[in-house]
Amino acid sequence: MDPFSQLILAISVTSFLGFQWLFHRASPWVSTHISPGFLVLSDKQKVEWNSRTVSTLHALLVGLFCLYILFFDDAVNKDPAWGDPTLVKINVAITTGYLISDLLLIFYYWKAIGDKFFVLHHLAALYAYYYVLGQGTLPYFANFRLLAEFSTPCVNQRWFLEVLGYPRSSRPNMVNGVAMAGIFFLVRIAVMPVYYGRMCTIYGTEAFYRVPWGGRASWIGSSICLDLMNVMWMHKIARGCYRVLQGGRQSAAPGALQHHQHHPPPQENGKVD
């Protein structure tokens, strides 16, 4: 194994251990000190809280690194199929460690955070990252896909607000809802023309056919499936955002302010009545 491959392996292992430490140690300690509501959550809710905290930190770390590569890594941007994947491999190695860590937590705490969809998502992502880390293929597209992580913090924040008992018509929920819809659209929908435009520029070229068949199938197939789901999710998020804003206007009417003055207690399932 060459020195750089050893470095990538070390980054993946360090990432795995780091995210395990964040879940088991850092998140519970910090949450206890900054959010009194954390103490009254059920054990299942605390598991999901810590999982979402780690997810948010991973999204911000990887997303910012992704932006740096997108704007400043000329080698990858000029040759999206075979450009120098050094920085992309480092970013993907961080994500690989996180995905393996999250899979372990999902299986161990299945009753609290178990989800077949997330297991399939993580396994599919790890399969695709095998070609990036092992063969250095399609670094531009692997990095571009990580832009979607920027929508994760707002999605997690929505859950935090609900489990703490904030009404959907409250100002924090409305602000987060608008931000979630806007960011989700920017990083998952608005970027589609750019992504598929670059895909078309190399489709059928020599560089395209140098990519192993499995890598091509994983790249094209997963891209189409993910973006179909993104469009459906965007539709649901837009409708939800509209309902929250409508509820906010209604709560501003006379008599409604008193009704929403106090937050209801968190429910066992993390939702509010």
Side-chain angles (χ1 to χ4, degrees):
M1 183 181 294
D2 63 89
F4 184 70
S5 296
Q6 292 177 359
L7 174 63
I8 293 300
L9 178 59
I11 291 173
S12 297
V13 173
T14 302
S15 172
F16 169 83
L17 295 175
F19 286 117
Q20 284 287 312
W21 177 80
L22 287 169
F23 176 87
H24 290 287
R25 301 297 182 189
S27 176
W29 187 86
V30 173
S31 299
T32 298
H33 286 78
I34 68 173
S35 180
F38 177 78
L39 296 173
V40 301
L41 299 179
S42 67
D43 289 340
K44 288 184 178 180
Q45 289 172 332
K46 287 180 179 178
V47 168
E48 185 162 0
W49 178 292
N50 293 327
S51 175
R52 288 179 181 271
T53 299
V54 173
S55 169
T56 297
L57 293 174
H58 164 262
L60 292 174
L61 173 63
V62 170
L64 290 173
F65 199 177
C66 171
L67 279 182
Y68 175 83
I69 295 171
L70 196 62
F71 287 121
F72 299 108
D73 194 333
D74 294 334
V76 168
N77 292 322
K78 289 180 180 178
D79 185 358
W82 292 99
D84 180 12
T86 300
L87 294 181
V88 175
K89 280 189 174 185
I90 293 174
N91 207 20
V92 169
I94 295 172
T95 296
T96 297
Y98 165 74
L99 291 176
I100 296 174
S101 172
D102 199 46
L103 273 176
L104 180 63
L105 295 173
I106 288 174
F107 287 129
Y108 190 80
Y109 297 103
W110 185 263
K111 291 183 178 180
I113 57 175
D115 189 309
K116 294 179 181 179
F117 171 79
F118 280 109
V119 171
L120 292 174
H121 170 272
H122 286 10
L123 292 177
L126 288 172
Y127 174 73
Y129 290 156
Y130 161 77
Y131 289 97
V132 179
L133 296 178
Q135 303 182 32
T137 61
L138 306 168
Y140 173 88
F141 299 100
N143 184 69
F144 203 100
R145 275 295 170 189
L146 288 175
L147 275 176
E149 290 297 328
F150 274 117
S151 64
T152 300
C154 287
V155 174
N156 288 336
Q157 185 60 36
R158 179 187 180 187
W159 184 89
F160 291 140
L161 292 172
E162 287 190 354
V163 80
L164 289 175
Y166 283 80
R168 293 189 177 183
S169 57
S170 65
R171 184 176 296 274
N173 247 323
M174 288 193 291
V175 171
N176 183 71
V178 172
M180 181 174 66
I183 295 173
F184 192 98
F185 176 78
L186 287 176
V187 301
R188 293 178 182 256
I189 305 299
V191 297
M192 284 185 189
V194 178
Y195 182 86
Y196 287 103
R198 294 304 300 270
M199 182 185 288
C200 290
T201 62
I202 70 166
Y203 184 83
T205 64
E206 179 185 357
F208 173 81
Y209 287 112
R210 284 172 54 201
V211 178
W213 184 89
R216 281 179 273 152
S218 173
W219 168 40
I220 297 175
S222 64
S223 294
I224 294 174
C225 291
L226 283 173
D227 285 329
L228 286 174
M229 288 190 291
N230 284 334
V231 170
M232 291 188 291
W233 286 335
M234 184 71 250
H235 177 68
K236 292 181 179 180
I237 289 174
R239 291 179 59 186
C241 182
Y242 176 78
R243 288 196 298 267
V244 168
L245 291 176
Q246 287 293 100
R249 294 191 184 97
Q250 294 173 4
S251 68
L257 291 177
Q258 185 177 1
H259 175 72
H260 290 294
Q261 187 174 0
H262 300 289
H263 298 155
Q267 306 298 312
E268 180 66 24
N269 62 359
K271 303 296 182 182
V272 293
D273 291 334

